[in-house]
Amino acid sequence: MANQLVRLQDDLIAIHNQASSGDVLILEEGTYMLPSQLRLKKGVSIKGQGSDKTILTTNNPNFLTNSGGNTEWGKYLVASYNSDMGRRIDEADNVLEGFSIQSTTTRPLHGGVGFWNKRGIRVQDVEVKNTYWSGLNFLFVEDAGVYNSSFEDCGAYVGTGQFSYSYGVVNICTSKDVEFYGNSVVDNRPSPENAYIFTSLGTTENEWRNVKFKGNYFYSETLSSQWSQNGNPAPTYFETYTTAHYGTEFINNYIGVTMSLIYESAYDLEDFDYAIKFENNYHFCNSFAIELTVPNKVIMDEMIWEARNENDFGAILANFNGSLRNDIDVSNVWLNTAGKRWS
């Protein structure tokens, strides 16, 4: 393994392309202007001086566009991918640490960090701000961790100021053994309907196995009438639309959005003790807090729900488009806003 200092005046992409597996490229404090995508080689890591000190950006107009959508992998500024649609998972062995990705113009970047069909990824102390599509996009990813990072004001625009139905600030789809710990996922932009802060949307075969969320902050200013109850609009969504959950966990999170946890059909849990576990979360919202569709073996323990403002009330748990199946174990739950109507 070799550490190599890459100075601001150096060609980061050229140096990266000459690096070998195990090499770590150390970036200085300052702004690196990339002429094209940094498509990561296997085993090459990028480390800056901190997300508040080292910036990766571009003035290439091909990356300052919303054309092509969330799966336009060639337009994510930092990415690693193959186009085999989950049939072949390649080793990535990449570490990204200590830098931010953001536009330095008035136009957002197309996308931030993207991994597709890859295994062995660590993202730590990385900040992504202001992208048309997801700030972080994992598709068919295994053995990955995202730690102490920030994703802000990213998400799926389909036109000037318009969100699409699908991809959120962060998108993790059809993945397993993923840790998402200590991160901030925030959208402060006023926007139209159907804004998503987090999504897991994809093929009908998609599923989650051992995807863990701990110590995160999820919040959005966006409200939508789609989830309104008695005229009270709901905060934008954290949605998983999957065939199956196996061992999904939400622990010690601060959640200021509606959660819609959808799985298309009932299924057997094989060797897993639960499909989804909630524990020690603080959830503040209006209207619906959590939607479970065809839930199967869900555990909720040590939860606090609180209304976002004095007009808020609604359903803590809602079940749509399916029947309850097997166990839903709810214990030690507090409603922290006196005088509100909850169900």
Side-chain angles (χ1 to χ4, degrees):
M1 177 182 295
N3 290 352
Q4 182 172 356
L5 178 64
V6 183
R7 301 190 181 279
L8 291 173
Q9 65 270 24
D10 294 338
D11 187 336
L12 171 58
I13 292 177
I15 293 173
H16 165 270
N17 291 343
Q18 295 172 3
S20 300
S21 181
D23 288 352
V24 180
L25 305 186
I26 307 298
L27 309 186
E28 294 184 314
E29 182 174 341
T31 299
Y32 289 79
M33 187 68 66
L34 303 183
S36 60
Q37 181 185 69
L38 178 57
R39 186 169 180 177
L40 296 164
K41 295 175 64 177
K42 176 184 175 181
V44 177
S45 297
I46 310 293
K47 293 189 178 183
Q49 302 304 308
S51 59
D52 59 338
K53 295 182 173 68
T54 302
I55 299 172
L56 302 186
T57 190
T58 184
N59 55 12
N60 183 335
N62 290 329
F63 290 87
L64 300 169
T65 175
N66 64 350
S67 63
N70 208 44
T71 55
E72 182 62 69
W73 294 96
K75 292 182 179 178
Y76 276 75
L77 195 60
V78 178
S80 179
Y81 53 93
N82 69 57
S83 57
D84 222 6
M85 284 304 293
R87 289 183 290 271
R88 186 185 84 247
I89 306 297
D90 295 333
E91 296 294 335
D93 296 329
N94 300 124
V95 176
L96 304 179
E97 182 177 349
F99 59 85
S100 70
I101 295 174
Q102 56 185 280
S103 175
T104 56
T105 74
T106 58
R107 297 171 63 188
L109 296 174
H110 176 91
V113 175
F115 285 90
W116 182 10
N117 293 334
K118 294 294 177 177
R119 177 189 297 110
I121 301 155
R122 297 294 179 270
V123 178
Q124 184 161 331
D125 185 28
V126 169
E127 178 184 65
V128 183
K129 297 177 66 173
N130 196 20
T131 59
Y132 283 114
W133 296 87
S134 298
L136 175 74
N137 192 358
F138 284 174
L139 177 59
F140 298 110
V141 162
E142 299 177 3
D143 184 23
V146 183
Y147 309 104
N148 301 316
S149 294
S150 173
F151 307 93
E152 181 177 351
D153 293 349
C154 306
Y157 283 106
V158 292
T160 304
Q162 301 293 315
F163 281 94
S164 82
Y165 180 79
S166 296
Y167 300 98
V169 179
V170 170
N171 181 60
I172 297 178
C173 183
T174 320
S175 297
K176 67 180 183 179
D177 300 325
V178 176
E179 294 180 342
F180 196 84
Y181 293 179
N183 303 295
S184 174
V185 183
V186 176
D187 200 332
N188 294 312
R189 298 168 296 182
S191 67
E193 302 278 322
N194 295 326
Y196 285 79
I197 196 165
F198 183 98
T199 49
S200 175
L201 301 169
T203 66
T204 56
E205 296 83 17
N206 70 335
E207 62 183 29
W208 274 9
R209 290 177 180 265
N210 287 322
V211 180
K212 316 291 188 184
F213 298 88
K214 295 183 181 180
N216 302 291
Y217 177 81
F218 298 102
Y219 181 78
S220 177
E221 289 289 344
T222 302
L223 298 177
S224 171
S225 62
Q226 178 173 331
W227 288 79
S228 64
Q229 191 171 63
N230 296 332
N232 290 308
T236 186
Y237 320 132
F238 180 118
E239 175 161 73
T240 68
Y241 195 97
T242 68
T243 303
H245 281 272
Y246 297 92
T248 301
E249 293 183 359
F250 296 93
I251 298 177
N252 295 328
N253 298 287
Y254 188 90
I255 304 168
V257 293
T258 294
M259 302 188 75
S260 177
L261 307 177
I262 300 172
Y263 18 123
E264 293 179 327
S265 60
Y267 53 90
D268 294 324
L269 281 172
E270 299 175 351
D271 296 328
F272 289 82
D273 293 332
Y274 48 84
I276 305 174
K277 180 168 73 172
F278 299 88
E279 187 176 286
N280 292 315
N281 296 294
Y282 178 84
H283 198 154
F284 68 107
C285 64
N286 52 344
S287 191
F288 295 109
I290 299 176
E291 176 201 19
L292 297 171
T293 301
V294 198
N296 182 14
K297 227 170 183 183
V298 176
I299 298 172
M300 293 187 176
D301 188 27
E302 301 284 346
M303 299 280 288
I304 298 176
W305 278 289
E306 181 170 343
R308 279 175 67 150
N309 60 57
E310 62 183 18
N311 297 317
D312 293 343
F313 59 90
I316 292 174
L317 295 175
N319 172 251
F320 300 104
N321 304 322
S323 60
L324 300 181
R325 183 172 184 263
N326 291 339
D327 301 328
I328 298 181
D329 184 359
V330 181
S331 58
N332 299 314
V333 171
W334 291 270
L335 305 182
N336 204 32
T337 308
K340 305 303 179 196
R341 293 190 293 154
W342 295 93
S343 60

